Amino acid sequence: MIIKAKEFGVVPGQDAAQPLVKLAEYLQTVDQPCTVTFDPGEYPIYAKNLPLRKMYVTNTIGDNEWKPGEVPHENRAGFLLENVSDATLEGNGAVFILHGQATNMALIDCQNVTVKNLCLTAERPDMHELTVTEKGPFWVDFRLDAESQYIRRSRAFDFVGEDYCTPFLAERAAGWIGHMDAADPGILKRTGHPFFSAWRIAERGDHLLRAYMPNALRFHIGERYELFDVRRKYNGIFIDRCQNITLEGIEQNFNYGLALVAQDSDTLTCSGLRFAPRLGGPRLMASVADFMQICMCRGQVIVRDSFFEGAGDDCLNAHGIHFKIVRTDGDAITVRFMHPQSHGFNPLRPGDRITFVNPHTLLCRGEAVIRGSELLDEYTIRLTLDGELVGAAGDVIEDIDASPSLTFERNTIDRIITRGLLLTVRGKVRIRENVFKHTTMNNILISDDAKSWYESGCVRDVVIEGNTFQYCPEHTVCIKPENRSHAGPVHSGILIRNNTVRTPSYFVKSADGVVIEGNHDAHRPKLRMINSQVQF
C-alpha cells in the first residue's frame, strides 16, 4: 500500500506540523504494510503548532533542571509515530526544518517501522559559534556565526530566536562550552565561557564583538567556541518501547540533546546515518549531548556505514540501569531509579532474569525471574520474583535480558567532546573497521557503576578489531568499572586486535580474559593494569 504524504497536506514550503499529525493518526488505522512517500523539497515544521505530551526520556533533563513555569517532561515532536506497525517512511531526500524547540522525531510503541532518506535540521537553533579574530592584552574580538541573531539589552546582549532569548553569558552553560583548537578544529574540548571574566562587551561591527577582560593571554587567533543550553530538554530521534526499527540514510544537523535515544526497545538497525553539522553551515557542532544513547534495550543493535561529527558528549553510550533495592517483602522487592535524569518508565518485564549486584564490588550473585512488575511512581518499581532472593536493601539489581548485542562497524567518528564509545552491555559487542579521528577522552570506555550514573553492567564478549584510532589524549581502550573495592573481575572476554593506533594506551582494571594482540602501533603501547589479567 502506497500513501502519498502530500495527500495529507505535507507539501514542500508549507508548515508540516499539523499535516504530519494527521498523517500519523491515519497510520494508526492502517492494518496492512504500507509505504509513505514524501516529495523532495524543504518542509518547515513550526514547533508552536505541534501538540504537547509527556515523554520520559532517559539521560535527559533532570527533575532539578526545570525552570519556573515549565511542565516537567512535557515534550513535542515534529514526527510523532505512536502505535504504528509495518510502515516505511520514504523521504526521497526531503529536508525537514524545525522552527523553534522540539524533538525532531519520536517513535513510541511501534513495530516494524523503517524511516529512510530524509534530513532533520533546525532554523537558527540556540547554539552559537564564536571565532577569535584579534586580541590584545586586555581585549578579544570574536566573530559570531552569521546565522545567529542577537539584541542589545541595556549594557548586555542576548541571543534571540524562536522559543528562546538567552543571555550571552548564560549560567546554565558556563562550564560546558565547546572549544575547538585553531590548528586542528577536530579537537573539541569542554571549557569555561569565553566571556566569563569580561567586564564589558562592545559591538565593533555586524556580528563582531569585543570583550574587555583583565587578561586575554589564554585566547588564540582562529580558535572557536560553541555556546549552547546543556539541559537536553528536547532530542533528535526518540525510540521508546518499540520493536524492529530501521533508520537508513538519515541526516541530522542539530538537536537540543541526544541525537538518537532508544530505551526499552528491541532490535534497532541503523545504516548510512550522517549526524554532523550542515555542509557549509555556520557551526561545527551538531548535538548538545551524545549522538546515540541505547538504554535497557534488547535483541540486536546495529550501527554501520555512518558518519558522526561534532557531539557535545559521547558518540555512542550503550548501557543498562542499576536499580537500587529499597525494600524487600517475601518474594517481592521494591527498586528505585537513582539518577534524576533517568526515570518515569518501566523496562523491567515479566519473564526477565535479574541478578543481584553488590554496589561496592559490582559483582553479581544469584538470579531470579520477574513474575510481576508495576511502576508505582516516577522513581519506584515493585517486582514479584520467582527464585531465591539473595539481595538486600542497599544492593542493586541488573536486568540480564535488557542488554542487547551491539555491532558498530565501518563508521567514522570525529570531533567528539568526550568518549567515542561507552559500553556496558552483556551481549556480544563487535566494534570493527571504524575510524576514530578525534575524541577528547578515551576512544572506547568500558565502565559499569552503581554509585553515580547507575549505568550497568558487566561485559562478557567484546571484540575490537580492524579499527583506526587517531587523535586521543587519553586511552585507546579504557576498562574501568567504578567499583569501590576489588573482590574479583567485573569484566571479562575482551579481545583487542589488528587495529591501527596512533598513540596506543590501555588501562585495565578488575578484568580478566583481556587479550591485546596484533595491533599496528605508531609508538610503543602503554599498559596500566589494576587487579587484572591481560595477555599482551
Side-chain angles (χ1 to χ4, degrees), residues 400-416:
I400 296 172
D401 293 316
S403 189
S405 293
L406 170 68
T407 299
F408 190 85
E409 60 186 9
R410 299 191 302 274
N411 304 295
T412 297
I413 294 173
D414 196 9
R415 201 178 299 128
I416 306 299

Side-chain angles (χ1 to χ4, degrees), residues 8 60 108 152 160 164 200 202 209 216-217 238 259 339 344 358 365 382 388 406 429 465-466 491:
F8 292 82
T60 58
I108 301 172
R152 188 181 184 96
V160 293
Y164 69 87
R200 184 165 71 93
L209 306 160
L217 292 177
F238 175 45
H339 196 281
N358 183 309
R365 61 185 187 277
R382 178 179 170 83
E388 184 180 3
L406 170 68
V429 177
E465 64 180 352
H491 298 303

Side-chain angles (χ1 to χ4, degrees), residues 246-518:
T246 299
L247 303 177
E248 179 182 325
I250 305 296
E251 179 172 349
Q252 286 194 100
N253 301 140
F254 177 81
N255 64 86
Y256 280 103
L258 308 164
L260 188 155
V261 52
Q263 69 186 29
D264 192 20
S265 294
D266 188 333
T267 306
L268 171 64
T269 304
C270 302
S271 64
L273 304 182
R274 186 182 184 276
F275 292 174
R278 187 174 77 246
L279 292 174
R283 294 172 301 275
L284 294 183
M285 285 185 66
S287 180
V288 166
D290 308 64
F291 275 140
M292 300 188 74
Q293 185 90 211
I294 309 297
C295 177
M296 297 295 289
C297 288
R298 305 156 189 269
Q300 295 280 339
V301 174
I302 298 172
V303 183
R304 58 167 58 109
D305 301 319
S306 296
F307 181 74
F308 302 99
E309 180 184 82
D313 213 315
D314 306 322
C315 180
L316 181 146
N317 181 359
H319 63 92
I321 293 175
H322 276 134
F323 294 86
K324 179 175 281 190
I325 301 173
V326 295
R327 178 179 300 175
T328 62
D329 181 16
D331 64 350
I333 60 173
T334 301
V335 298
R336 180 176 174 82
F337 286 96
M338 295 304 296
H339 196 281
Q341 290 186 338
S342 294
H343 62 278
F345 63 104
N346 184 4
L348 305 174
R349 303 180 185 179
D352 283 359
R353 298 168 296 154
I354 66 168
T355 185
F356 301 91
V357 181
N358 183 309
H360 305 291
T361 66
L362 295 178
L363 298 184
C364 307
R365 61 185 187 277
E367 287 188 13
V369 176
I370 299 175
R371 189 170 71 245
S373 179
E374 179 186 3
L375 184 67
L376 301 180
D377 55 44
E378 288 185 17
Y379 278 90
T380 54
I381 302 172
R382 178 179 170 83
L383 304 174
T384 53
L385 305 174
D386 284 332
E388 184 180 3
L389 178 58
V390 297
D395 289 340
V396 297
I397 66 164
E398 179 187 356
D399 190 322
I400 296 172
D401 293 316
S403 189
S405 293
L406 170 68
T407 299
F408 190 85
E409 60 186 9
R410 299 191 302 274
N411 304 295
T412 297
I413 294 173
D414 196 9
R415 201 178 299 128
I416 306 299
I417 211 166
T418 53
R419 292 137 309 225
L421 306 180
L422 173 51
L423 307 172
T424 45
V425 291
R426 285 176 175 260
K428 290 184 178 181
V429 177
R430 299 294 182 263
I431 312 299
R432 297 185 175 124
E433 300 177 24
N434 304 286
V435 177
F436 293 75
K437 287 188 174 182
H438 293 89
T439 66
T440 301
M441 298 182 184
N442 305 293
N443 289 144
I444 297 174
L445 171 62
I446 297 173
S447 185
D448 191 12
D449 83 90
K451 292 291 185 180
S452 55
W453 284 92
Y454 288 83
E455 292 181 356
S456 65
C458 58
V459 304
R460 291 289 181 262
D461 184 356
V462 177
V463 177
I464 302 167
E465 64 180 352
N467 303 284
T468 298
F469 296 101
Q470 297 179 4
Y471 176 87
C472 176
E474 294 191 3
H475 302 292
T476 309
V477 179
C478 180
I479 302 166
K480 192 178 182 181
E482 297 182 28
N483 49 335
R484 298 288 182 88
S485 58
H486 176 82
V490 176
H491 298 303
S492 62
I494 301 168
L495 174 60
I496 305 165
R497 67 184 179 193
N498 300 333
N499 301 286
T500 301
V501 190
R502 176 182 174 185
T503 55
S505 178
Y506 304 95
F507 180 94
V508 184
K509 175 190 176 188
S510 297
D512 66 3
V514 179
V515 178
I516 304 172
E517 65 180 16

Side-chain angles (χ1 to χ4, degrees), residues 64-333:
N64 58 346
E65 298 177 79
W66 297 97
K67 296 189 295 186
E70 292 182 331
V71 178
H73 308 291
E74 189 173 73
N75 212 306
R76 52 196 178 192
F79 285 78
L80 175 56
L81 300 182
E82 190 167 9
N83 295 312
V84 172
S85 299
D86 302 310
T88 296
L89 273 62
E90 172 55 75
N92 290 310
V95 178
F96 294 88
I97 306 171
L98 183 64
H99 293 250
Q101 298 184 352
T103 291
N104 292 333
M105 177 180 292
L107 288 79
I108 301 172
D109 288 311
C110 293
Q111 295 184 345
N112 305 323
V113 172
T114 297
V115 183
K116 59 196 301 187
N117 302 326
L118 57 84
C119 175
L120 302 167
T121 190
E123 179 74 9
R124 293 191 175 91
D126 194 6
M127 176 180 277
H128 313 280
E129 184 171 295
L130 294 168
T131 302
V132 177
T133 59
E134 298 289 343
K135 59 175 284 191
F138 308 109
W139 56 267
V140 184
D141 283 349
F142 297 92
R143 173 71 64 184
L144 176 64
D145 72 84
E147 186 178 88
S148 292
Q149 295 180 333
Y150 61 96
I151 58 172
R152 188 181 184 96
R153 176 176 48 83
S154 184
R155 298 181 64 185
F157 294 87
D158 294 335
F159 295 115
V160 293
E162 291 189 66
D163 294 340
Y164 69 87
C165 179
T166 305
F168 274 18
L169 183 56
E171 291 183 5
R172 64 177 183 260
W176 296 78
I177 302 303
H179 171 268
M180 280 161 286
D181 190 78
D184 187 349
I187 300 175
L188 176 62
K189 299 180 179 179
R190 286 176 178 158
T191 190
H193 202 295
F195 295 156
F196 178 72
S197 61
W199 68 72
R200 184 165 71 93
I201 299 173
E203 190 174 16
R204 301 275 295 173
D206 183 33
H207 283 63
L208 182 63
L209 306 160
R210 174 168 290 183
Y212 294 90
M213 58 189 64
N215 189 335
L217 292 177
R218 67 187 176 96
F219 293 95
H220 302 279
I221 306 300
E223 64 185 352
R224 309 182 194 207
Y225 294 85
E226 299 280 346
L227 281 58
F228 49 85
D229 183 353
V230 300
R231 294 190 307 151
R232 308 182 184 188
K233 183 179 176 183
Y234 300 106
N235 297 282
I237 299 171
F238 175 45
I239 299 170
D240 186 26
R241 302 190 306 274
C242 292
Q243 184 173 6
N244 194 23
I245 302 299
T246 299
L247 303 177
E248 179 182 325
I250 305 296
E251 179 172 349
Q252 286 194 100
N253 301 140
F254 177 81
N255 64 86
Y256 280 103
L258 308 164
L260 188 155
V261 52
Q263 69 186 29
D264 192 20
S265 294
D266 188 333
T267 306
L268 171 64
T269 304
C270 302
S271 64
L273 304 182
R274 186 182 184 276
F275 292 174
R278 187 174 77 246
L279 292 174
R283 294 172 301 275
L284 294 183
M285 285 185 66
S287 180
V288 166
D290 308 64
F291 275 140
M292 300 188 74
Q293 185 90 211
I294 309 297
C295 177
M296 297 295 289
C297 288
R298 305 156 189 269
Q300 295 280 339
V301 174
I302 298 172
V303 183
R304 58 167 58 109
D305 301 319
S306 296
F307 181 74
F308 302 99
E309 180 184 82
D313 213 315
D314 306 322
C315 180
L316 181 146
N317 181 359
H319 63 92
I321 293 175
H322 276 134
F323 294 86
K324 179 175 281 190
I325 301 173
V326 295
R327 178 179 300 175
T328 62
D329 181 16
D331 64 350
I333 60 173

